[in-house]
Amino acid sequence: MGKFRSPLLRWYSRKLLMRDFRVLSVLLLAGCASPQPAMSPLSTASVSARLETQPVASVDDAADDPAIWRNAAYPAQSLIVGTDKRAGIHVYDLQGRQVSFTPSPRLNNVDLRDVGGSIGVLVAASDRQDLAQAQMAMFRLDTDTKGLVPLGSIAVGAGEAYGMCLWQRASDKALFGFVVLKDGRIDQIAIDTNGAVPTGKRVRSLKLGTQSEGCVVDDRTGILYVAEEDVGLWQFDASPDGSTIPTAIAKADGNEIVMDAEGVALAPSGSDGGYVVVSSQGDNAYALYKLPEAKYVGRFRINDGKVDGVQETDGIELMLGDFGSDFPSGLLVVQDGDNRPATQNFKLVSWADVVAAFGWAKH
């Protein structure tokens, strides 16, 4: 897909100045502290994206997090929902074309579930319009018109909403939202979708020590995975009456993950197998951990190919299954933080290409 050629000089200057400042900081700190490694020493596989979305309209750091709705009847007609945290929320088709846009400034992370009933596909996003009081913005995805219908918001609690993910419990289909506050607190919200407008209440809070954002919940096992940006990947029991003590999975120590640890996604297989994927933003890579033991198995980058490569990824989403000829066994969608000369966008990667890059016979 061709790029939009607007110069965006102010954005480029800002990016260059930030990078120059980081280099200068490392030089000044040499001899008094060990700087974060620029690249992981571990072997890193390479894939390329098959397609990309149209760039978002906003400049600077704007595109953030994607979610995927799979059309089971016509997989190639599935949809991608992606946030522009300065302007609103986009819906794209699998060719990367924008099919709708809903203005709603300061939305950050997004997730969705098919809850049935009058709502159908529920889309929820962390809402930062009030930095002192976190909310979840709620929408219905109209899969016929490919547009989003606003359904109001659910109050979460004091703090700045940052990350967000949904969990639909396998045993009874109860729905929960996890809102990751910028200071590392994680509020769990029980969501009621029986009415025309979703409602919710906080049922407990969890806590990590520092700034956190990316999260995902395994609907099968009830495990919540959260990325603490400068520390690493953790897991919690997602049950409202479960333990609030986190278990460390991986450190952002410059090896498997180079900080920041950002987006988190799942490739489930069987009752508890598959992979957890984490964005290693510091060296433009993605680390994979094999389930159920969450054991490190490898890392990869998305380099130039049919479309340009990917840098500085924030949010990611992954869904296995048939999505048509371009994505026959699964679709990985990642935010591209440096899509010059255009503004930021999302890249679409075939899971089959990731599997092939590691030489795995199957996912």
Side-chain angles (χ1 to χ4, degrees):
M1 180 182 299
K3 304 290 189 185
F4 295 170
R5 299 293 178 181
S6 57
L8 303 176
L9 293 177
R10 183 171 65 86
W11 181 48
Y12 302 160
S13 298
R14 175 179 174 271
K15 296 284 282 187
L16 291 171
L17 285 171
M18 287 177 65
R19 290 175 180 175
D20 290 345
F21 177 77
R22 290 172 183 168
V23 172
L24 179 60
S25 298
V26 171
L27 292 173
L28 291 173
L29 290 171
C32 33
S34 297
Q36 176 74 14
M39 300 287 280
S40 168
L42 299 177
S43 175
T44 303
S46 175
V47 301
S48 59
R50 297 283 184 98
L51 294 161
E52 63 181 340
T53 68
Q54 291 177 260
V56 299
S58 302
V59 298
D60 295 322
D61 184 20
D64 195 79
D65 191 49
I68 301 169
W69 172 72
R70 182 174 179 272
N71 186 329
Y74 305 99
Q77 297 180 24
S78 300
L79 299 171
I80 298 164
V81 178
T83 56
D84 174 343
K85 59 192 177 187
R86 296 178 180 274
I89 189 164
H90 301 261
V91 179
Y92 305 98
D93 65 19
L94 292 195
Q95 296 301 307
R97 295 174 295 231
Q98 179 181 301
V99 294
S100 70
F101 175 75
T102 303
S104 187
R106 300 191 68 81
L107 299 182
N108 215 56
N109 280 195
V110 65
D111 203 356
L112 61 81
R113 290 292 189 279
D114 190 340
V115 299
S118 60
I119 294 176
V121 180
L122 178 69
V123 175
S126 55
D127 188 338
R128 304 167 65 198
Q129 291 190 62
D130 184 345
L131 298 182
Q133 295 293 326
Q135 298 185 83
M136 282 193 298
M138 314 299 284
F139 305 87
R140 179 175 66 86
L141 175 60
D142 187 323
T143 57
D144 292 326
T145 66
K146 303 177 182 178
L148 291 173
V149 180
L151 297 176
S153 61
I154 295 175
V156 174
E160 181 180 349
Y162 213 48
M164 207 228 64
C165 51
L166 295 173
W167 173 40
Q168 195 167 32
R169 189 162 56 191
S171 60
D172 59 2
K173 301 302 181 184
L175 186 67
F176 299 88
F178 291 86
V179 177
V180 183
L181 286 298
K182 197 170 185 177
D183 66 358
R185 192 180 87 237
I186 305 157
D187 284 349
Q188 183 171 0
I189 309 298
I191 302 172
D192 184 348
T193 60
N194 289 320
V197 175
T199 59
K201 63 178 181 179
R202 184 170 60 185
V203 294
R204 66 169 181 163
S205 292
L206 311 168
K207 189 68 173 74
L208 294 174
T210 61
Q211 182 168 310
S212 306
E213 181 178 6
C215 70
V216 69
V217 188
D218 193 329
D219 286 351
R220 306 166 304 167
T221 62
I223 296 175
L224 165 67
Y225 300 91
V226 185
E228 186 177 2
E229 293 188 2
D230 292 347
V231 178
L233 182 66
W234 300 86
Q235 70 176 44
F236 289 92
D237 184 344
S239 299
D241 57 354
S243 171
T244 59
I245 300 173
T247 300
I249 295 176
K251 295 180 180 180
D253 60 2
N255 292 306
E256 298 165 10
I257 301 172
V258 179
M259 66 180 189
D260 295 340
E262 289 284 346
V264 188
L266 288 169
S269 179
S271 61
D272 62 0
Y275 300 92
V276 178
V277 185
V278 184
S279 168
S280 172
Q281 189 183 73
D283 73 334
N284 307 322
Y286 310 85
L288 291 95
Y289 299 86
K290 186 171 177 57
L291 298 173
E293 65 273 23
K295 178 183 178 182
Y296 172 76
V297 292
R299 58 202 320 278
F300 66 96
R301 292 191 181 91
I302 303 169
N303 293 323
D304 291 346
K306 182 179 178 182
V307 298
D308 64 296
V310 178
Q311 296 81 34
E312 301 174 3
T313 292
D314 283 326
I316 64 176
E317 181 62 297
L318 171 59
M319 185 175 288
L320 301 189
D322 175 21
F323 284 85
S325 58
D326 284 317
F327 313 101
S329 62
L331 171 64
L332 171 64
V333 182
V334 306
Q335 182 259 11
D336 186 0
D338 188 352
N339 186 46
R340 290 179 286 180
T343 54
Q344 296 178 340
N345 69 348
F346 300 92
K347 298 297 196 290
L348 282 60
V349 177
S350 173
W351 182 247
D353 292 342
V354 177
V355 170
F358 286 100
W360 297 335
K362 58 181 179 179
H363 60 261

